[in-house]
Amino acid sequence: NAGVTQTPKFRILKIGQSMTLQCTQDMNHNYMYWYRQDPGMGLKLIYYSVGAGITDKGEVPNGYNVSRSTTEDFPLRLELAAPSQTSVYFCASRQGPDSGNTIYFGEGSWLTVV
Amino acid sequence: AQKVTQAQTEISVVEKEDVTLDCVYETRDTTYYLFWYKQPPSGELVFLIRRNSFDEQNEISGRYSWNFQKSTSSFNFTITASQVVDSAVYFCALSEVTFSGGYNKLIFGAGTRLAVHP
């Protein structure tokens, strides 16, 4: 019962490098989300997707890109990494917008930009 | 704009004490959803409760209880007879109601770190 799987769990990047955080879910969920959690702060929404081929910006999209070519995968791309992107990143998914559908979160990816 | 405030950054209690975590929210919407999530030291987010703004009844689930007061825009969470395993960061969150009556994006508070000592 995998649920939402994120990779890598830990990564150190140098300033200016690029990387992709992978997220996959095996629950056939339509909605997927990327959040970031800064120390001592709540989660802030970066991007979300309501289905394959459809993505939209959240609260803090700058410096990131996403794609949703399949229902299962929702990768988050960091271009030109900056120290301000040091954070914990959470991917999440749910079946749809209905109130009874719970959001399932992955275990998080710890990213440090130095 | 929507906002969630958890004024208590950290709370420390001794096992078996009762503890209340405060959550105050701001929204211009007349209907909305409120949530509580638990984030244990392992890092994942665990769903605890979802409450529709229409339903102001308090809820109890085992040692957990929630007090929703629309008049004061608060959705407080109480743990009775706390245990060491309750040590975690607890997040309150808010979401607008979508056109279909569901919800989509969550706005989170900064979280309250609860430490329960033996």
Side-chain angles (χ1 to χ4, degrees), chain A residues 33 37 42 90 94 97 99 101, chain B residues 33 39 50 91 102-104 109:
Chain A
Y33 308 84
Q37 181 184 15
F90 287 93
R94 56 195 288 244
S99 62
N101 294 324
Chain B
Y33 287 100
Q39 186 179 42
R50 177 190 66 252
F91 291 99
Y103 65 92
N104 188 7

Side-chain angles (χ1 to χ4, degrees), chain A residues 39-92:
Chain A
M41 304 292 288
L43 282 74
K44 291 195 180 297
L45 182 65
I46 306 171
Y47 271 95
Y48 68 99
S49 168
V50 300
I54 306 170
T55 63
D56 206 349
K57 296 178 181 178
E59 300 172 80
V60 290
N62 291 344
Y64 306 95
N65 279 301
V66 294
S67 59
R68 185 91 183 274
S69 56
T70 67
T71 299
E72 296 78 20
D73 300 308
F74 190 41
L76 177 71
R77 178 86 176 158
L78 281 73
E79 305 281 3
L80 298 174
S84 62
Q85 293 178 304
T86 294
S87 190
V88 182
Y89 292 83
F90 287 93
C91 181

Side-chain angles (χ1 to χ4, degrees), chain B residues 4-79:
Chain B
V4 176
T5 301
Q6 295 179 256
Q8 304 152 307
T9 305
E10 293 189 31
I11 299 176
S12 182
V13 299
V14 177
E15 214 170 13
K16 297 184 183 177
E17 282 187 34
D18 298 345
V19 57
T20 296
L21 283 62
D22 298 332
C23 173
V24 174
Y25 61 91
E26 297 175 30
T27 180
R28 292 180 183 172
D29 298 326
T30 55
T31 58
Y32 45 88
Y33 287 100
L34 294 164
F35 304 79
W36 276 95
Y37 282 86
K38 174 182 180 180
Q39 186 179 42
S42 51
E44 75 275 19
L45 280 152
V46 179
F47 169 79
L48 295 178
I49 190 172
R50 177 190 66 252
R51 175 50 52 88
N52 187 303
S53 57
F54 286 128
D55 183 3
E56 289 193 67
Q57 277 195 340
N58 293 329
E59 182 157 340
I60 298 175
S61 177
R63 295 185 296 106
Y64 294 171
S65 62
W66 290 269
N67 184 344
F68 177 31
Q69 297 213 341
K70 213 167 180 178
S71 59
T72 56
S73 298
S74 65
F75 187 43
N76 297 336
F77 172 33
T78 297
I79 302 174

